Amino acid sequence: MNNKHILHITAVTEVGPDGQKCTQAVLEYDRPLAADTAADAFEVENRTITGIEVSDNTVTLFLSPDDEAALLFHPGNPWQHTTTVLDEAAVAVRQRGPVRAADGSVLETASGGLSPVTGDGSDVSASVCTPADKNDRLRNLVVDDFIQGEFEGLSYNLFIPKDCEPGKTYPLVQFIHDAGPCGKEPKLTLTQGVGAIVWAKPEEQAKRKCFVLAPQFDGPPIVDDDWNVDPRLETAKRLLDWVCETYPVDRSRLYTTGQSMGCMSSIVLNVRYPDLFAASYLVAGQWDDRQIQGLEKQNLWMLNSMGDAKAFPIMNQMTCEMESKGALVARKIIDAGASQEEYDEIAKELIAMGANVIYTPYRIETVANGWSSRGGEHHINTWKTAYDIEAIREWMFAQEKL
């Protein structure tokens, strides 16, 4: 480090609805700093510091997620032959001038050394500006809690719940990503949005402890709008079987979810293996209503945007087809971005109907404006909020195969 008092700098990332972003720079000093150290004592190249937290010898600089340099996940488009790129987080931090240590001494920047505080308590003048120090460590919140592996050529990410009790089994949630993150980097599915990681967050695990399996598909999409299915979906099924055989998974509480391509894949798996999943959360996808035999007996929560030019009309037809075959369907138009309290009340109302299929389209004006992509912005923006609805997660975990 150019600043001899800084031992390490850690770049910290978080995954949000828009993908993985670098949101913190954590500095470890060689001694405790004064608790009133101000944020303007530091600068981070090309980043906006929004806050500071000082604890002993550690300084955490909070960085604006709206900075252009914050975003690490850059989605591709398989139909346009562009690949998704995932950057590694990097921060370059400069101590702009002297800062006070907890013992009253002053830590100069790299151009200076350790000097005493002036006797009258006056401010110490800033040192000459020195080169920024780059992070030598990296921490990816939640993402780092997954392990990566490969099964029959298919990459996957697996979250194993902590402190599993001997002899006890736990539910498993399978998340299948949309077509955009298809690529060779195994962690793309974890960093493109919250669909995979929400189940593994510490606060979620405290309420609903479970395994989380997120396969990563390379190459072209595994399903398409002409209802074709790639053999790699069966590889994913065998991967799921292997995980269930290898780890203490409760087979009566297997759940699948996914958005767009992942939603369609989950539908196909439910049709092919009607006794596999206890419940499914189907987000912004669709399937041929002539090929959904047996789906009327499944526990499904279906969500899309009324502005989704493909998913909305076809999901409507799917629910009608399932209803004609005996499914009990509960429907309600809801707002994207409503409060958890509002979602709780909606969920209670729908669940009280005793339906095995719940269908909640988002009201069009709450998702996106405009039709420049023939509803594409409504399609993509659906899953930016869909996985934040705790009432749906709670409903899913309440389902169990008898």
Side-chain angles (χ1 to χ4, degrees):
M1 298 289 175
N2 294 304
N3 188 323
K4 67 179 183 179
H5 300 297
I6 297 177
L7 303 177
H8 300 287
I9 298 178
T10 303
V12 180
T13 73
E14 297 178 75
V15 178
D18 295 322
Q20 188 180 56
K21 296 182 178 182
C22 180
T23 57
Q24 297 176 32
V26 180
L27 286 63
E28 182 183 341
Y29 275 81
D30 60 2
R31 67 202 69 207
L33 296 189
D36 62 353
T37 301
D40 60 9
F42 305 91
E43 64 180 8
V44 183
E45 291 183 358
N46 301 315
R47 300 303 306 272
T48 304
I49 299 175
T50 60
I52 185 172
E53 183 177 283
V54 180
S55 177
D56 196 39
N57 68 327
T58 299
V59 176
T60 300
L61 301 174
F62 298 96
L63 309 176
S64 172
D66 297 326
D67 291 340
E68 183 178 350
L71 189 60
L72 305 172
F73 181 87
H74 308 281
N77 187 321
W79 293 278
Q80 296 177 356
H81 307 290
T82 58
T83 57
T84 298
V85 176
L86 180 62
D87 297 331
E88 184 172 274
V91 291
V93 186
R94 181 182 292 107
Q95 180 185 313
R96 300 177 64 188
V99 296
R100 298 176 187 274
D103 62 6
S105 60
V106 173
L107 306 185
E108 301 283 1
T109 59
S111 60
L114 181 65
S115 62
V117 177
T118 54
D120 59 2
S122 60
D123 291 335
V124 179
S125 60
S127 300
V128 177
C129 190
T130 58
D133 289 310
K134 297 181 179 180
N135 62 289
D136 59 334
R137 293 179 175 178
L138 177 64
R139 184 163 78 248
N140 303 296
L141 299 180
V142 186
V143 171
D144 286 343
D145 296 331
F146 284 76
I147 62 172
Q148 286 69 48
E150 187 174 294
F151 178 87
E152 296 182 10
L154 175 63
S155 297
Y156 68 87
N157 303 271
L158 179 65
F159 175 84
I160 302 171
K162 298 177 181 178
D163 303 320
C164 291
E165 299 178 24
K168 187 174 180 179
T169 57
Y170 297 88
L172 179 146
V173 178
Q174 172 185 257
F175 172 79
I176 303 179
H177 60 78
D178 58 284
C182 286
K184 294 183 181 298
E185 165 56 57
K187 296 180 183 179
L188 292 178
T189 184
L190 303 180
T191 56
Q192 54 84 42
V194 301
I197 68 161
V198 65
W199 318 95
K201 289 184 175 182
E203 58 270 27
E204 186 73 10
Q205 285 285 306
K207 299 175 183 178
R208 291 169 281 271
K209 183 177 287 191
C210 68
F211 288 85
V212 185
L213 175 63
Q216 174 64 49
F217 295 96
D218 188 16
I222 56 172
V223 294
D224 63 29
D225 292 341
D226 294 321
W227 323 127
N228 296 308
V229 183
D230 190 278
R232 288 172 294 161
L233 184 57
E234 285 301 314
T235 304
K237 166 58 169 58
R238 292 192 294 275
L239 166 63
L240 176 59
D241 291 338
W242 175 80
V243 171
C244 292
E245 294 167 0
T246 306
Y247 296 93
V249 174
D250 183 351
R251 289 177 179 267
S252 70
R253 300 183 69 197
L254 298 181
Y255 310 109
T256 188
T257 185
Q259 57 209 31
S260 192
M261 181 187 84
C263 172
M264 297 161 73
S265 300
S266 292
I267 292 171
V268 172
L269 288 172
N270 269 292
V271 172
R272 291 181 176 180
Y273 304 97
D275 296 322
L276 183 59
F277 299 109
S280 303
Y281 183 26
L282 307 176
V283 178
Q286 67 282 329
W287 201 249
D288 184 358
D289 62 279
R290 298 165 298 179
Q291 301 182 37
I292 58 172
Q293 62 277 5
L295 216 59
E296 70 276 1
K297 299 178 182 179
Q298 305 298 317
N299 295 315
L300 311 174
W301 193 306
M302 306 166 69
L303 185 147
N304 57 34
S305 168
M306 296 177 71
D308 191 326
K310 290 182 179 179
F312 179 59
I314 300 179
M315 267 197 175
N316 287 340
Q317 185 60 35
M318 288 174 63
T319 56
C320 291
E321 178 65 19
M322 287 186 282
E323 205 166 29
S324 72
K325 293 182 177 180
L328 182 56
V329 181
R331 299 175 176 86
K332 189 176 182 67
I333 297 172
I334 65 175
D335 291 343
S339 69
Q340 295 297 334
E341 291 76 18
E342 290 173 306
Y343 286 136
D344 287 345
E345 290 303 313
I346 292 169
K348 288 179 183 178
E349 174 189 340
L350 295 171
I351 293 169
M353 296 180 185
N356 64 299
V357 177
I358 300 177
Y359 181 35
T360 53
Y362 275 153
R363 199 180 312 276
I364 186 171
E365 62 269 22
T366 66
V367 179
N369 294 317
W371 292 88
S372 59
S373 63
R374 294 181 296 177
E377 64 271 48
H378 291 268
H379 181 64
I380 292 172
N381 283 324
T382 297
W383 59 77
K384 291 184 178 181
T385 57
Y387 288 97
D388 291 332
I389 305 175
E390 184 174 8
I392 298 180
R393 303 197 301 270
E394 187 174 358
W395 165 86
M396 195 173 77
F397 274 76
Q399 312 308 311
E400 185 173 356
K401 279 287 183 183
L402 301 179

